[in-house]
Amino acid sequence: MTTLDSTVDPSSPSYLANRAALLERLTELDAALDQARAGGGEKYVTRHHARGKLLPRERIELLVDADSPFLELSPVAAYGSDFPVGASVVTGIGVIEGVECLIVANDPTVRGGAVNPWSLAKTRRAGEIALANRLPMVNLVESAGADLPTQAEIFIPGGRVFRDLTRLSAAGIPTVSVVFGNATAGGAYVPGMSDHVIMIRDRSQVYLAGPPLVKMATGEVTDDESLGGAAMHAGTSGLADYLAVDERDGIRLARQCVRRLNWRKQGPSPRTAVPQPPKYDPEELLGITSADLKVPFDPREVLARVLDGSDFDEFKPAYGDALVTGWGELHGYPVGVLANARGVLFSAEAQKAAQFIQLANASDTPLIFLQNTTGYMVGTEYEQRGIIKHGALMVNAVSNSTVPHLTVNMGASYGAGNYGMCGRAYEPRFLFTWPNAKSAVMGPAQLAGVLSIVARQAAAARGRDYDEDSDAAMRLMVEQQIESQSGALFLSGRLYDDGVIDPRDTRTILGLCLSAIHNGPVKGADGFGVFRM
């Protein structure tokens, strides 16, 4: 293999400026993560602890194997909304008894763990990841059910969470639920539709309707324990398979359930058992990405700090050189890489990408997309050369490729380039964003300029003078709006990715994802439909 060389100078002014800009974005990310970890705030956290109960991340820490990593997903969901950052639920991938599992933990310090539109979207995304990657799912349940003021937004789509639980089971992917407190109304269906259910004596209460609603609906007077207590469900209804004495015992029983799954991965093991680390320091990733997204950077510098041994066999290096393609290994797993080198994608890059994706599918090799693109080239010359059909060639290949895709937005991800480079709509197994990155239909200045041109043409068609002051105000307003709505935290808050990550963690996070992906089979496509040549 070919070892990548680096020309990065950590003492150069441009490097230092890039690093400073990225550290500023990381400070913003840390503040958002602190908000998520705070849950419902100090008052409700203190009250929860006073009741002898653990917080969701404390439960997860006891559940996963000691000293094993936990890859939290969508940690800043709901950022910028009217709901608390984190969306009152924690999701992620952790190792339990040596088995990679998808973990979902309600946060009862936020409105009793009630499900709002963002927590619903986050939970559904967790289910998609579990199904696509064949990951057993463990639910740590303590939820008051639907957030009633937003029921119109969550009631109908919320049914998919329960449907997805049963589909996991039907696909041979086990589901485990540990109920730590109330699991009311819709929350009751999570244990009700799980393969293995653990309840905690004198703590768990699982019922479709609590005593007050039962009295209103039927006139019956009952109590929590008779209606839905753990002992009743363990000895009478049969809903509980195991009865724990306390939270820690419930977590012990969950680990026991996973240990007895006899779980085996279906994908191949890493090709290299003891992979070599990159030759270059991942710390230097902070200064490689340009602070000004209009200034391109060489993605090989990123690959040199992510791939095993900084080894990379480049494919077609002299053709379509605005897109870097090639082969390497990451934590021992073979991967193919597509990385934007100079923003714009031309016809040559699109054709090169389509061929490379076909080759990866022929060899059952997962693909990593490193985005930094402004989209496909526009203009008369490029339209006449066939940029539409060549772009469609690339999008077709991405759409119908069946090997696992991993996507990282390192800078810009605009226009149809987002599609061709496997954006969210093209269902990569995982998609992560660096904190400096942006994504939109086009850049803020370009979008504002287009609106200005259209308005000028409309005024001319009516024979009216154009108000330049109003135009300047409009452009400024639009640029500010698009600037804020294209930022990494804004987009991650809407679950358009699986998390904003520190660039220095890219290799580790991709390695964890590759390992999780190989729980299922890794197989390329048998066909791609009709390519417009």
Side-chain angles (χ1 to χ4, degrees):
M1 297 182 72
T2 304
T3 302
L4 292 165
D5 291 323
S6 176
T7 59
V8 168
D9 178 5
S11 64
S12 70
S14 61
Y15 178 94
L16 294 173
N18 293 340
R19 188 176 190 276
L22 195 43
L23 285 172
E24 186 176 346
R25 300 286 83 76
L26 284 170
T27 299
E28 295 172 357
L29 172 61
D30 287 340
L33 294 174
D34 287 342
Q35 286 182 283
R37 296 185 189 110
E42 184 177 353
K43 173 184 175 181
Y44 294 102
V45 167
T46 301
R47 178 188 298 178
H48 191 72
H49 275 150
R51 293 170 176 166
K53 300 171 80 72
L54 298 167
L55 297 174
R57 288 177 178 82
E58 293 171 340
R59 291 167 178 168
I60 291 171
E61 186 174 357
L62 291 173
L63 178 66
V64 300
D65 294 351
D67 299 323
S68 68
F70 176 68
L71 176 58
E72 187 168 348
L73 300 169
S74 309
V76 299
Y79 179 91
S81 76
D82 294 331
F83 294 92
V85 176
S88 74
V89 64
V90 181
T91 65
I93 298 172
V95 179
I96 304 171
E97 294 289 341
V99 177
E100 287 152 327
C101 297
L102 196 295
I103 301 169
V104 178
N106 301 120
D107 188 345
T109 70
V110 183
R111 296 176 64 87
V115 177
N116 61 57
W118 298 110
S119 49
L120 173 61
K122 185 170 175 176
T123 302
R124 285 183 53 196
R125 174 58 184 156
E128 291 173 357
I129 290 171
L131 183 61
N133 299 291
R134 195 173 166 266
L135 297 174
M137 176 179 274
V138 180
N139 283 282
L140 306 183
V141 184
E142 187 167 5
S143 172
D147 179 71
L148 294 180
T150 58
Q151 68 84 29
E153 298 176 63
I154 62 178
F155 168 59
I156 292 176
R160 295 179 183 173
V161 172
F162 314 131
R163 179 203 67 180
D164 292 347
L165 274 171
T166 65
R167 288 185 173 179
L168 285 170
S169 182
I173 302 171
T175 55
V176 179
S177 284
V178 187
V179 183
F180 292 92
N182 285 335
T184 307
Y189 284 113
V190 175
M193 296 187 179
S194 295
D195 297 344
H196 306 271
V197 178
I198 300 158
M199 295 188 190
I200 300 168
R201 187 184 296 277
D202 300 327
R203 292 282 187 175
S204 306
Q205 296 174 1
V206 182
Y207 33 59
L208 297 182
L213 184 53
V214 168
K215 183 176 181 180
M216 285 184 59
T218 69
E220 179 188 358
V221 177
T222 185
D223 60 84
D224 286 328
E225 181 58 36
S226 301
L227 187 64
M232 185 281 290
H233 282 305
T236 304
S237 79
L239 178 60
D241 302 314
Y242 303 95
L243 185 61
V245 297
D246 57 23
E247 290 202 8
R248 286 171 172 78
D249 189 43
I251 292 169
R252 177 189 65 82
L253 290 168
R255 288 178 54 81
Q256 175 182 295
C257 285
V258 175
R259 183 170 67 249
R260 300 300 184 187
L261 292 177
N262 192 28
W263 192 250
R264 294 177 297 275
K265 289 189 172 187
Q266 294 182 353
S269 300
R271 184 162 62 190
T272 303
V274 184
Q276 295 294 313
K279 286 177 54 182
Y280 303 99
D281 189 352
E283 181 72 23
E284 294 173 347
L285 289 170
L286 293 181
I288 290 172
T289 308
S290 302
D292 182 354
L293 295 184
K294 297 175 185 175
V295 178
F297 61 91
D298 188 349
R300 297 173 188 85
E301 297 287 4
V302 176
L303 295 175
R305 290 157 179 83
V306 171
L307 295 178
D308 295 353
S310 303
D311 284 337
F312 183 63
D313 286 341
E314 191 163 348
F315 172 78
K316 272 185 167 20
Y319 183 79
D321 61 1
L323 180 71
V324 174
T325 56
W327 313 99
E329 290 188 7
L330 204 159
H331 281 282
Y333 290 101
V335 293
V337 177
L338 298 94
N340 300 116
R342 290 198 317 277
V344 178
L345 292 163
F346 299 87
S347 289
E349 283 76 14
Q351 293 174 88
K352 171 179 171 178
Q355 181 187 0
F356 185 73
I357 292 168
Q358 285 183 300
L359 291 171
N361 277 262
S363 60
D364 301 329
T365 304
L367 288 169
I368 296 174
F369 293 81
L370 301 180
Q371 296 181 339
N372 185 28
T373 177
T374 54
Y376 293 98
M377 189 61 186
V378 297
T380 303
E381 176 187 353
Y382 302 101
E383 294 288 4
Q384 291 177 356
R385 288 184 181 180
I387 189 64
I388 292 175
K389 67 179 183 179
H390 293 139
L393 193 75
M394 181 175 175
V395 171
N396 183 337
V398 171
S399 303
N400 293 293
S401 166
T402 59
V403 294
H405 296 173
L406 299 171
T407 300
V408 179
N409 182 1
M410 307 183 299
S413 184
Y414 291 127
N418 172 274
Y419 304 159
M421 290 297 292
C422 200
R424 173 61 102 198
Y426 289 79
E427 299 182 343
R429 297 292 185 91
F430 297 92
L431 190 157
F432 297 100
T433 304
W434 286 3
N436 58 296
K438 296 184 181 297
S439 186
V441 67
M442 63 183 72
Q446 290 81 5
L447 195 149
V450 168
L451 292 179
S452 175
I453 291 170
V454 171
R456 287 176 185 277
Q457 291 175 340
R462 298 189 193 100
R464 298 177 181 173
D465 293 333
Y466 192 64
D467 188 333
E468 296 293 345
D469 290 339
S470 295
D471 179 79
M474 179 275 292
R475 291 177 68 132
L476 178 62
M477 181 190 69
V478 170
E479 286 190 36
Q480 291 175 339
Q481 177 186 353
I482 301 306
E483 186 71 24
S484 65
Q485 292 181 350
S486 61
L489 284 174
F490 179 93
L491 295 172
S492 194
R494 280 146 186 77
L495 287 101
Y496 289 145
D497 62 23
D498 296 310
V500 182
I501 64 172
D502 188 321
R504 295 167 291 190
D505 296 331
T506 303
R507 170 176 165 81
T508 299
I509 288 172
L510 290 178
L512 291 171
C513 292
L514 282 167
S515 181
I517 281 167
H518 284 76
N519 275 273
V522 176
K523 189 176 186 309
D526 294 324
F528 286 86
V530 176
F531 283 121
R532 296 189 65 90
M533 306 305 289

